[in-house]
Amino acid sequence: MSDGEAGVFALRLDELFRSLPGQDGRPYSAKTIAQRAADRGYRIGESYLSQLRSGKAKSPSFRTVEGLAAAFDVDIRHFLSDDTERRSRMEIEQFRAMADPEVHRVAQRLAGLPKETVAVVDELVDVLHKRREPAARGDQALHLVDEATG
């Protein structure tokens, strides 16, 4: 792995640590990832993880990369290719959403509703994402809900 690739590796590893939630909804710690890797048959020390994350350790073995992918439950190609990195970012966002109890609560409420109703809610969510800034300022979100439902 070249120095440039090692820097990208460190960035991608750090992104996983910062953005993937553990079972408690918080980002993973090095200790937790080391344990998850060990549970899957890979030995990766906490201090080595820290060195990889910071870019101080620049040449992880394929086995280490494989263990990290297993510990984070991501495709190994997340660390190896740009196309997969883009796909992995989307997967990370999905994992983050799945760990959110509010997302689960809303999804459970949608279960059993007619497809057409779920499609309307999906469209509303798209509108809210597109107008995230105004919605964050207050009553604009309520206005959008009124427009979509009425």
Side-chain angles (χ1 to χ4, degrees), residues 63-116:
R63 180 107 174 119
T64 296
V65 177
E66 196 176 34
L68 289 169
F72 280 107
D73 199 25
V74 297
D75 190 304
I76 193 169
R77 291 174 294 178
H78 170 78
F79 297 106
L80 306 174
S81 76
D82 289 337
D83 288 341
T84 302
E85 184 216 355
R86 281 190 286 277
R87 223 180 359 249
S88 293
R89 285 184 192 275
M90 290 174 31
E91 290 172 356
I92 288 169
E93 289 302 317
Q94 289 174 342
F95 287 137
R96 187 181 296 152
M98 289 188 297
D100 185 338
E102 282 299 305
V103 171
H104 280 280
R105 186 185 66 75
V106 171
Q108 288 173 338
R109 293 186 66 209
L110 287 171
L113 291 175
K115 278 185 178 179
E116 298 79 19

Short mmCIF file of all heavy atoms in Angstrom, two decimals, residues 63-116:
data_model
loop_
_atom_site.label_atom_id
_atom_site.label_comp_id
_atom_site.label_asym_id
_atom_site.label_seq_id
_atom_site.Cartn_x
_atom_site.Cartn_y
_atom_site.Cartn_z
N ARG A 63 -5.16 -9.42 5.73
CA ARG A 63 -5.89 -10.06 6.84
C ARG A 63 -6.43 -9.01 7.81
O ARG A 63 -7.56 -9.13 8.29
CB ARG A 63 -4.98 -11.05 7.56
CG ARG A 63 -5.63 -11.75 8.72
CD ARG A 63 -5.93 -13.19 8.38
NE ARG A 63 -6.44 -13.86 9.57
CZ ARG A 63 -7.63 -14.40 9.63
NH1 ARG A 63 -8.43 -14.40 8.59
NH2 ARG A 63 -8.04 -14.99 10.73
N THR A 64 -5.66 -7.97 8.09
CA THR A 64 -6.12 -6.91 8.98
C THR A 64 -7.28 -6.14 8.34
O THR A 64 -8.29 -5.87 9.00
CB THR A 64 -4.97 -5.93 9.31
OG1 THR A 64 -3.96 -6.66 10.03
CG2 THR A 64 -5.45 -4.76 10.14
N VAL A 65 -7.14 -5.84 7.07
CA VAL A 65 -8.22 -5.13 6.36
C VAL A 65 -9.48 -5.99 6.35
O VAL A 65 -10.59 -5.50 6.58
CB VAL A 65 -7.78 -4.76 4.93
CG1 VAL A 65 -8.91 -4.10 4.16
CG2 VAL A 65 -6.56 -3.86 4.95
N GLU A 66 -9.29 -7.27 6.11
CA GLU A 66 -10.40 -8.22 6.12
C GLU A 66 -11.07 -8.23 7.50
O GLU A 66 -12.30 -8.22 7.61
CB GLU A 66 -9.84 -9.59 5.79
CG GLU A 66 -10.82 -10.63 5.40
CD GLU A 66 -10.10 -11.92 4.99
OE1 GLU A 66 -9.03 -12.26 5.55
OE2 GLU A 66 -10.64 -12.60 4.11
N GLY A 67 -10.26 -8.23 8.56
CA GLY A 67 -10.79 -8.23 9.92
C GLY A 67 -11.55 -6.97 10.25
O GLY A 67 -12.58 -7.00 10.91
N LEU A 68 -11.03 -5.83 9.79
CA LEU A 68 -11.73 -4.56 10.03
C LEU A 68 -13.07 -4.53 9.31
O LEU A 68 -14.08 -4.08 9.87
CB LEU A 68 -10.85 -3.38 9.59
CG LEU A 68 -9.65 -3.11 10.46
CD1 LEU A 68 -8.72 -2.11 9.80
CD2 LEU A 68 -10.09 -2.63 11.83
N ALA A 69 -13.08 -4.99 8.07
CA ALA A 69 -14.34 -5.05 7.33
C ALA A 69 -15.34 -5.94 8.05
O ALA A 69 -16.52 -5.58 8.19
CB ALA A 69 -14.09 -5.54 5.90
N ALA A 70 -14.88 -7.08 8.55
CA ALA A 70 -15.77 -7.98 9.29
C ALA A 70 -16.26 -7.33 10.58
O ALA A 70 -17.44 -7.44 10.92
CB ALA A 70 -15.05 -9.30 9.58
N ALA A 71 -15.37 -6.66 11.29
CA ALA A 71 -15.74 -6.04 12.56
C ALA A 71 -16.76 -4.93 12.38
O ALA A 71 -17.68 -4.77 13.18
CB ALA A 71 -14.50 -5.49 13.27
N PHE A 72 -16.62 -4.16 11.30
CA PHE A 72 -17.58 -3.08 11.03
C PHE A 72 -18.78 -3.56 10.24
O PHE A 72 -19.72 -2.81 10.03
CB PHE A 72 -16.90 -1.94 10.27
CG PHE A 72 -16.09 -1.01 11.13
CD1 PHE A 72 -14.71 -1.05 11.09
CD2 PHE A 72 -16.70 -0.10 11.97
CE1 PHE A 72 -13.95 -0.18 11.87
CE2 PHE A 72 -15.96 0.76 12.75
CZ PHE A 72 -14.58 0.72 12.70
N ASP A 73 -18.72 -4.81 9.76
CA ASP A 73 -19.78 -5.38 8.94
C ASP A 73 -19.99 -4.57 7.66
O ASP A 73 -21.11 -4.21 7.31
CB ASP A 73 -21.07 -5.50 9.74
CG ASP A 73 -22.05 -6.48 9.11
OD1 ASP A 73 -21.61 -7.39 8.39
OD2 ASP A 73 -23.27 -6.32 9.32
N VAL A 74 -18.87 -4.26 6.99
CA VAL A 74 -18.92 -3.58 5.70
C VAL A 74 -18.17 -4.44 4.68
O VAL A 74 -17.38 -5.30 5.04
CB VAL A 74 -18.28 -2.17 5.74
CG1 VAL A 74 -19.06 -1.26 6.67
CG2 VAL A 74 -16.81 -2.20 6.10
N ASP A 75 -18.41 -4.18 3.42
CA ASP A 75 -17.70 -4.87 2.36
C ASP A 75 -16.23 -4.46 2.40
O ASP A 75 -15.92 -3.27 2.56
CB ASP A 75 -18.32 -4.47 1.01
CG ASP A 75 -17.83 -5.31 -0.14
OD1 ASP A 75 -16.60 -5.37 -0.35
OD2 ASP A 75 -18.66 -5.91 -0.84
N ILE A 76 -15.34 -5.41 2.24
CA ILE A 76 -13.90 -5.14 2.30
C ILE A 76 -13.49 -4.11 1.25
O ILE A 76 -12.55 -3.34 1.44
CB ILE A 76 -13.08 -6.44 2.15
CG1 ILE A 76 -11.62 -6.18 2.53
CG2 ILE A 76 -13.22 -7.02 0.77
CD1 ILE A 76 -10.80 -7.43 2.67
N ARG A 77 -14.22 -4.05 0.17
CA ARG A 77 -13.89 -3.11 -0.90
C ARG A 77 -14.07 -1.65 -0.46
O ARG A 77 -13.59 -0.75 -1.12
CB ARG A 77 -14.71 -3.41 -2.14
CG ARG A 77 -14.28 -4.72 -2.79
CD ARG A 77 -15.17 -5.11 -3.92
NE ARG A 77 -16.50 -5.40 -3.38
CZ ARG A 77 -17.55 -5.74 -4.09
NH1 ARG A 77 -17.46 -5.82 -5.39
NH2 ARG A 77 -18.70 -5.99 -3.52
N HIS A 78 -14.74 -1.44 0.68
CA HIS A 78 -14.84 -0.08 1.22
C HIS A 78 -13.46 0.54 1.37
O HIS A 78 -13.27 1.73 1.17
CB HIS A 78 -15.56 -0.10 2.58
CG HIS A 78 -15.49 1.20 3.31
ND1 HIS A 78 -16.30 2.27 2.98
CD2 HIS A 78 -14.70 1.64 4.31
CE1 HIS A 78 -16.01 3.29 3.76
NE2 HIS A 78 -15.04 2.94 4.58
N PHE A 79 -12.50 -0.29 1.72
CA PHE A 79 -11.14 0.19 1.93
C PHE A 79 -10.31 0.22 0.65
O PHE A 79 -9.22 0.77 0.64
CB PHE A 79 -10.41 -0.70 2.95
CG PHE A 79 -11.03 -0.67 4.31
CD1 PHE A 79 -11.76 -1.75 4.78
CD2 PHE A 79 -10.88 0.43 5.13
CE1 PHE A 79 -12.33 -1.73 6.04
CE2 PHE A 79 -11.45 0.47 6.40
CZ PHE A 79 -12.18 -0.62 6.85
N LEU A 80 -10.80 -0.40 -0.42
CA LEU A 80 -9.96 -0.64 -1.58
C LEU A 80 -10.32 0.11 -2.84
O LEU A 80 -9.46 0.33 -3.68
CB LEU A 80 -9.95 -2.15 -1.88
CG LEU A 80 -9.56 -3.05 -0.72
CD1 LEU A 80 -9.72 -4.51 -1.10
CD2 LEU A 80 -8.13 -2.77 -0.26
N SER A 81 -11.59 0.49 -3.06
CA SER A 81 -11.94 1.11 -4.34
C SER A 81 -12.86 2.30 -4.15
O SER A 81 -13.66 2.35 -3.22
CB SER A 81 -12.59 0.08 -5.27
OG SER A 81 -13.92 -0.15 -4.88
N ASP A 82 -12.74 3.25 -5.08
CA ASP A 82 -13.54 4.47 -5.00
C ASP A 82 -15.03 4.21 -5.22
O ASP A 82 -15.87 4.78 -4.55
CB ASP A 82 -13.05 5.50 -6.01
CG ASP A 82 -11.71 6.09 -5.60
OD1 ASP A 82 -11.39 6.04 -4.39
OD2 ASP A 82 -11.01 6.61 -6.47
N ASP A 83 -15.38 3.35 -6.20
CA ASP A 83 -16.79 3.07 -6.45
C ASP A 83 -17.44 2.45 -5.23
O ASP A 83 -18.55 2.80 -4.85
CB ASP A 83 -16.97 2.12 -7.65
CG ASP A 83 -16.66 2.79 -8.97
OD1 ASP A 83 -16.67 4.04 -9.01
OD2 ASP A 83 -16.41 2.07 -9.95
N THR A 84 -16.74 1.52 -4.62
CA THR A 84 -17.28 0.87 -3.43
C THR A 84 -17.37 1.85 -2.28
O THR A 84 -18.29 1.80 -1.48
CB THR A 84 -16.43 -0.34 -3.04
OG1 THR A 84 -16.41 -1.22 -4.16
CG2 THR A 84 -17.00 -1.07 -1.84
N GLU A 85 -16.43 2.80 -2.22
CA GLU A 85 -16.48 3.80 -1.15
C GLU A 85 -17.78 4.59 -1.25
O GLU A 85 -18.44 4.83 -0.25
CB GLU A 85 -15.28 4.73 -1.23
CG GLU A 85 -15.27 5.70 -0.06
CD GLU A 85 -14.77 7.08 -0.43
OE1 GLU A 85 -14.32 7.28 -1.56
OE2 GLU A 85 -14.86 7.94 0.44
N ARG A 86 -18.15 5.00 -2.45
CA ARG A 86 -19.42 5.74 -2.61
C ARG A 86 -20.60 4.89 -2.16
O ARG A 86 -21.49 5.34 -1.47
CB ARG A 86 -19.57 6.20 -4.06
CG ARG A 86 -18.75 7.42 -4.39
CD ARG A 86 -19.13 7.96 -5.76
NE ARG A 86 -18.60 7.14 -6.84
CZ ARG A 86 -17.37 7.23 -7.32
NH1 ARG A 86 -16.53 8.08 -6.82
NH2 ARG A 86 -16.98 6.46 -8.31
N ARG A 87 -20.58 3.62 -2.59
CA ARG A 87 -21.65 2.71 -2.19
C ARG A 87 -21.63 2.51 -0.68
O ARG A 87 -22.67 2.48 -0.03
CB ARG A 87 -21.45 1.38 -2.92
CG ARG A 87 -22.70 0.79 -3.46
CD ARG A 87 -22.49 -0.52 -4.19
NE ARG A 87 -21.16 -1.01 -4.29
CZ ARG A 87 -20.46 -1.09 -5.43
NH1 ARG A 87 -20.98 -0.70 -6.55
NH2 ARG A 87 -19.24 -1.56 -5.44
N SER A 88 -20.44 2.40 -0.12
CA SER A 88 -20.31 2.19 1.32
C SER A 88 -20.83 3.39 2.10
O SER A 88 -21.41 3.24 3.17
CB SER A 88 -18.87 1.92 1.71
OG SER A 88 -18.46 0.68 1.19
N ARG A 89 -20.62 4.59 1.58
CA ARG A 89 -21.16 5.78 2.26
C ARG A 89 -22.68 5.69 2.36
O ARG A 89 -23.25 6.02 3.39
CB ARG A 89 -20.77 7.05 1.52
CG ARG A 89 -19.35 7.46 1.71
CD ARG A 89 -19.10 8.79 1.00
NE ARG A 89 -17.71 9.07 0.92
CZ ARG A 89 -16.99 9.64 1.87
NH1 ARG A 89 -17.58 9.97 2.99
NH2 ARG A 89 -15.72 9.87 1.71
N MET A 90 -23.31 5.23 1.29
CA MET A 90 -24.76 5.06 1.33
C MET A 90 -25.15 4.00 2.36
O MET A 90 -26.11 4.17 3.10
CB MET A 90 -25.29 4.70 -0.06
CG MET A 90 -25.20 5.85 -1.03
SD MET A 90 -25.64 5.46 -2.75
CE MET A 90 -26.84 4.20 -2.65
N GLU A 91 -24.39 2.91 2.40
CA GLU A 91 -24.66 1.86 3.38
C GLU A 91 -24.48 2.38 4.80
O GLU A 91 -25.26 2.05 5.69
CB GLU A 91 -23.74 0.66 3.13
CG GLU A 91 -24.07 -0.09 1.88
CD GLU A 91 -23.04 -1.16 1.53
OE1 GLU A 91 -22.01 -1.26 2.24
OE2 GLU A 91 -23.26 -1.88 0.55
N ILE A 92 -23.46 3.21 5.01
CA ILE A 92 -23.23 3.79 6.33
C ILE A 92 -24.44 4.62 6.74
O ILE A 92 -24.90 4.54 7.88
CB ILE A 92 -21.93 4.62 6.35
CG1 ILE A 92 -20.72 3.69 6.29
CG2 ILE A 92 -21.87 5.52 7.59
CD1 ILE A 92 -19.41 4.40 6.05
N GLU A 93 -24.95 5.41 5.81
CA GLU A 93 -26.13 6.22 6.12
C GLU A 93 -27.32 5.32 6.46
O GLU A 93 -28.10 5.62 7.36
CB GLU A 93 -26.48 7.15 4.96
CG GLU A 93 -25.50 8.29 4.78
CD GLU A 93 -25.37 9.15 6.02
OE1 GLU A 93 -26.38 9.47 6.66
OE2 GLU A 93 -24.23 9.49 6.38
N GLN A 94 -27.44 4.21 5.74
CA GLN A 94 -28.53 3.28 6.04
C GLN A 94 -28.35 2.65 7.41
O GLN A 94 -29.31 2.53 8.17
CB GLN A 94 -28.61 2.19 4.96
CG GLN A 94 -29.12 2.71 3.65
CD GLN A 94 -29.07 1.65 2.56
OE1 GLN A 94 -28.37 0.65 2.67
NE2 GLN A 94 -29.81 1.88 1.48
N PHE A 95 -27.12 2.25 7.75
CA PHE A 95 -26.86 1.68 9.07
C PHE A 95 -27.18 2.68 10.17
O PHE A 95 -27.75 2.36 11.19
CB PHE A 95 -25.40 1.22 9.21
CG PHE A 95 -25.07 -0.02 8.43
CD1 PHE A 95 -23.89 -0.10 7.72
CD2 PHE A 95 -25.93 -1.10 8.42
CE1 PHE A 95 -23.57 -1.24 7.02
CE2 PHE A 95 -25.63 -2.25 7.71
CZ PHE A 95 -24.44 -2.32 7.01
N ARG A 96 -26.77 3.93 9.92
CA ARG A 96 -27.03 4.98 10.91
C ARG A 96 -28.54 5.16 11.11
O ARG A 96 -29.02 5.25 12.23
CB ARG A 96 -26.40 6.29 10.45
CG ARG A 96 -26.49 7.37 11.49
CD ARG A 96 -25.88 8.66 11.03
NE ARG A 96 -24.45 8.50 10.81
CZ ARG A 96 -23.75 9.22 9.95
NH1 ARG A 96 -24.33 10.14 9.23
NH2 ARG A 96 -22.46 9.04 9.82
N ALA A 97 -29.28 5.15 10.01
CA ALA A 97 -30.73 5.30 10.11
C ALA A 97 -31.36 4.10 10.81
O ALA A 97 -32.26 4.27 11.65
CB ALA A 97 -31.34 5.48 8.72
N MET A 98 -30.86 2.91 10.51
CA MET A 98 -31.44 1.71 11.14
C MET A 98 -31.18 1.67 12.64
O MET A 98 -31.93 1.06 13.39
CB MET A 98 -30.89 0.44 10.48
CG MET A 98 -31.44 0.24 9.08
SD MET A 98 -31.00 -1.36 8.35
CE MET A 98 -29.23 -1.27 8.24
N ALA A 99 -30.12 2.33 13.09
CA ALA A 99 -29.81 2.35 14.53
C ALA A 99 -30.61 3.41 15.28
O ALA A 99 -30.61 3.43 16.50
CB ALA A 99 -28.32 2.59 14.73
N ASP A 100 -31.30 4.28 14.55
CA ASP A 100 -32.05 5.37 15.16
C ASP A 100 -33.42 4.86 15.63
O ASP A 100 -34.23 4.43 14.82
CB ASP A 100 -32.22 6.49 14.14
CG ASP A 100 -32.88 7.72 14.70
OD1 ASP A 100 -33.58 7.63 15.73
OD2 ASP A 100 -32.70 8.80 14.11
N PRO A 101 -33.70 4.93 16.93
CA PRO A 101 -34.98 4.43 17.44
C PRO A 101 -36.18 5.17 16.86
O PRO A 101 -37.25 4.58 16.69
CB PRO A 101 -34.89 4.63 18.95
CG PRO A 101 -33.59 5.25 19.25
CD PRO A 101 -32.83 5.41 17.99
N GLU A 102 -36.02 6.44 16.52
CA GLU A 102 -37.14 7.19 15.93
C GLU A 102 -37.47 6.67 14.54
O GLU A 102 -38.64 6.60 14.16
CB GLU A 102 -36.82 8.69 15.88
CG GLU A 102 -36.98 9.37 17.21
CD GLU A 102 -38.40 9.28 17.74
OE1 GLU A 102 -39.35 9.69 17.04
OE2 GLU A 102 -38.56 8.76 18.86
N VAL A 103 -36.45 6.29 13.78
CA VAL A 103 -36.69 5.72 12.45
C VAL A 103 -37.46 4.41 12.59
O VAL A 103 -38.42 4.16 11.86
CB VAL A 103 -35.35 5.52 11.69
CG1 VAL A 103 -35.58 4.73 10.41
CG2 VAL A 103 -34.71 6.86 11.40
N HIS A 104 -37.07 3.59 13.57
CA HIS A 104 -37.79 2.33 13.81
C HIS A 104 -39.24 2.60 14.20
O HIS A 104 -40.16 1.93 13.71
CB HIS A 104 -37.12 1.54 14.94
CG HIS A 104 -35.92 0.79 14.50
ND1 HIS A 104 -35.98 -0.41 13.85
CD2 HIS A 104 -34.60 1.09 14.61
CE1 HIS A 104 -34.77 -0.83 13.58
NE2 HIS A 104 -33.90 0.07 14.02
N ARG A 105 -39.45 3.57 15.04
CA ARG A 105 -40.81 3.89 15.50
C ARG A 105 -41.69 4.31 14.32
O ARG A 105 -42.80 3.82 14.16
CB ARG A 105 -40.76 5.01 16.56
CG ARG A 105 -42.11 5.30 17.20
CD ARG A 105 -42.03 6.48 18.15
NE ARG A 105 -41.73 7.74 17.48
CZ ARG A 105 -42.61 8.43 16.74
NH1 ARG A 105 -43.83 7.97 16.56
NH2 ARG A 105 -42.25 9.57 16.17
N VAL A 106 -41.16 5.18 13.46
CA VAL A 106 -41.93 5.65 12.31
C VAL A 106 -42.17 4.50 11.33
O VAL A 106 -43.27 4.34 10.80
CB VAL A 106 -41.21 6.83 11.62
CG1 VAL A 106 -41.88 7.19 10.30
CG2 VAL A 106 -41.20 8.05 12.56
N ALA A 107 -41.14 3.68 11.10
CA ALA A 107 -41.30 2.54 10.19
C ALA A 107 -42.37 1.58 10.68
O ALA A 107 -43.17 1.07 9.89
CB ALA A 107 -39.97 1.82 10.02
N GLN A 108 -42.40 1.34 11.98
CA GLN A 108 -43.42 0.46 12.54
C GLN A 108 -44.82 1.03 12.33
O GLN A 108 -45.77 0.30 12.08
CB GLN A 108 -43.16 0.20 14.02
CG GLN A 108 -41.98 -0.69 14.26
CD GLN A 108 -41.62 -0.82 15.73
OE1 GLN A 108 -41.97 0.04 16.54
NE2 GLN A 108 -40.92 -1.88 16.06
N ARG A 109 -44.93 2.33 12.43
CA ARG A 109 -46.24 2.96 12.23
C ARG A 109 -46.68 2.87 10.77
O ARG A 109 -47.86 2.85 10.47
CB ARG A 109 -46.20 4.41 12.69
CG ARG A 109 -46.01 4.48 14.21
CD ARG A 109 -46.09 5.88 14.74
NE ARG A 109 -47.44 6.40 14.55
CZ ARG A 109 -47.72 7.68 14.38
NH1 ARG A 109 -46.77 8.58 14.40
NH2 ARG A 109 -48.97 8.07 14.21
N LEU A 110 -45.71 2.82 9.84
CA LEU A 110 -46.03 2.72 8.42
C LEU A 110 -46.46 1.30 8.02
O LEU A 110 -47.18 1.12 7.04
CB LEU A 110 -44.84 3.13 7.56
CG LEU A 110 -44.52 4.62 7.51
CD1 LEU A 110 -43.19 4.84 6.81
CD2 LEU A 110 -45.63 5.38 6.80
N ALA A 111 -46.01 0.33 8.80
CA ALA A 111 -46.31 -1.07 8.48
C ALA A 111 -47.82 -1.28 8.44
O ALA A 111 -48.54 -0.85 9.33
CB ALA A 111 -45.67 -2.00 9.49
N GLY A 112 -48.28 -1.91 7.40
CA GLY A 112 -49.69 -2.23 7.28
C GLY A 112 -50.51 -1.18 6.55
O GLY A 112 -51.67 -1.43 6.21
N LEU A 113 -49.93 -0.01 6.32
CA LEU A 113 -50.66 1.02 5.57
C LEU A 113 -50.63 0.66 4.09
O LEU A 113 -49.72 -0.03 3.62
CB LEU A 113 -50.02 2.39 5.78
CG LEU A 113 -50.16 3.00 7.17
CD1 LEU A 113 -49.37 4.31 7.25
CD2 LEU A 113 -51.62 3.25 7.51
N PRO A 114 -51.62 1.14 3.33
CA PRO A 114 -51.63 0.85 1.89
C PRO A 114 -50.38 1.41 1.20
O PRO A 114 -49.82 2.43 1.62
CB PRO A 114 -52.88 1.58 1.38
CG PRO A 114 -53.71 1.83 2.59
CD PRO A 114 -52.77 1.91 3.76
N LYS A 115 -49.96 0.75 0.11
CA LYS A 115 -48.77 1.16 -0.64
C LYS A 115 -48.85 2.63 -1.04
O LYS A 115 -47.85 3.35 -1.01
CB LYS A 115 -48.62 0.32 -1.91
CG LYS A 115 -47.99 -1.01 -1.73
CD LYS A 115 -47.81 -1.64 -3.10
CE LYS A 115 -47.11 -2.98 -2.99
NZ LYS A 115 -46.95 -3.60 -4.30
N GLU A 116 -50.03 3.06 -1.45
CA GLU A 116 -50.19 4.43 -1.91
C GLU A 116 -49.90 5.42 -0.78
O GLU A 116 -49.30 6.47 -0.99
CB GLU A 116 -51.62 4.66 -2.44
CG GLU A 116 -51.98 3.81 -3.65
CD GLU A 116 -52.35 2.37 -3.28
OE1 GLU A 116 -52.69 2.09 -2.11
OE2 GLU A 116 -52.27 1.52 -4.18
#
